[in-house]
Amino acid sequence: MNQLPAVPVPASCMKVLITHDQIARRVAEMGREITRDYAGQSVMLVGVLKGATIFLAELACNIELDATFDFFGVSSYADCAHQSGEVRLTKDVDTSLEGRNVILVEDILDTGLTMNYLKNVVMTHQPRSFKIASLLDKPAHRIQPIEADYLGFTIPDVFVVGYGLDYAEHYRNLQDIYVLPPEAFSSG
Ligand code: IMP
């Protein structure tokens, strides 16, 4: 088996941007908003692997409605040699979205390319309704003018990790959200 390289910078050397307490409070509010908006209906939470998994789990526990889960997998070429911003579906949903109240659950909206692409995929399934729940919004590099209907926090133009968000697959399990320092990008 391939081994992941050692973690570039330990959590103890990184600055906390949003604590788990702050996240938990805001996600509970988001759950209450969704519970109110869809009163008497069912919702289908569709997460984007892998970053949205922890957020989806905590959000779902705060929604007092009948709720089901499914997941999309995507890969983006935005940060590699292709520079095309192309998004590719690596895993489709397993269940039909037709006639469902779909809430697309994402960890962070950055350029908006991923959400815009997935919104178009969902709309071809003819859902009853469509909304986006995103834990974070980083508007500095937005290319597609897409916004979250349910938003946790707007953050500045920094690279963040933790609570599902990764750098090279590391840090997803950290409870708080941290700013990854510049030296982490150059330490291979
Ligand atoms: P977008 O298509 O540019 O909006 O990018 C969305 C995806 O980029 C997210 O689902 C993340 O996987 C990744 N991403 C963007 N900014 C960050 C960050 O600060 N930390 C970790 N992942 C990020």
Side-chain angles (χ1 to χ4, degrees):
M1 274 217 319
N2 286 338
Q3 292 233 311
L4 284 172
V7 62
V9 176
S12 56
C13 298
M14 293 193 291
K15 181 175 164 284
V16 175
L17 184 67
I18 310 171
T19 66
H20 186 257
D21 276 358
Q22 292 173 303
I23 297 169
R25 274 199 297 275
R26 182 68 195 116
V27 173
E29 286 171 6
M30 294 169 81
R32 282 196 291 275
E33 288 172 37
I34 292 171
T35 303
R36 186 195 59 214
D37 291 353
Y38 293 89
Q41 304 176 62
S42 299
V43 292
M44 182 164 193
L45 304 177
V46 181
V48 185
L49 294 171
K50 303 167 194 166
T53 50
I54 296 178
F55 171 46
L56 185 146
E58 189 149 358
L59 182 64
C61 291
N62 284 282
I63 294 175
E64 295 179 26
L65 300 169
D66 173 51
T68 53
F69 302 168
D70 210 330
F71 294 93
F72 280 122
V74 291
S75 72
S76 168
Y77 293 125
D79 293 324
C80 71
H82 295 76
Q83 293 288 323
S84 63
E86 182 187 336
V87 181
R88 192 167 55 88
L89 202 62
T90 56
K91 185 208 166 295
D92 205 347
V93 287
D94 300 322
T95 42
S96 170
L97 305 182
E98 193 178 337
R100 313 292 295 272
N101 291 314
V102 173
I103 302 176
L104 202 48
V105 181
E106 176 65 304
D107 52 359
I108 184 167
L109 264 170
D110 186 12
T111 63
L113 290 168
T114 306
M115 277 294 100
N116 188 60
Y117 172 83
L118 289 176
K119 178 180 181 180
N120 290 333
V121 173
V122 170
M123 294 320 276
T124 65
H125 288 258
Q126 299 184 300
R128 174 175 175 176
S129 66
F130 173 80
K131 286 195 178 174
I132 294 173
S134 184
L135 178 65
L136 304 176
D137 185 6
K138 189 162 61 172
H141 299 289
R142 191 74 98 255
I143 293 172
Q144 285 289 341
I146 192 160
E147 302 298 331
D149 301 283
Y150 304 101
L151 175 65
F153 303 90
T154 300
I155 64 165
D157 184 16
V158 289
F159 195 89
V160 289
V161 295
Y163 198 75
L165 291 132
D166 77 309
Y167 173 64
E169 295 299 328
H170 293 287
Y171 304 117
R172 291 194 196 276
N173 60 320
L174 300 177
Q175 288 192 15
D176 304 316
I177 292 179
Y178 295 79
V179 177
L180 193 69
E183 59 267 30
F185 297 99
S186 49
S187 65

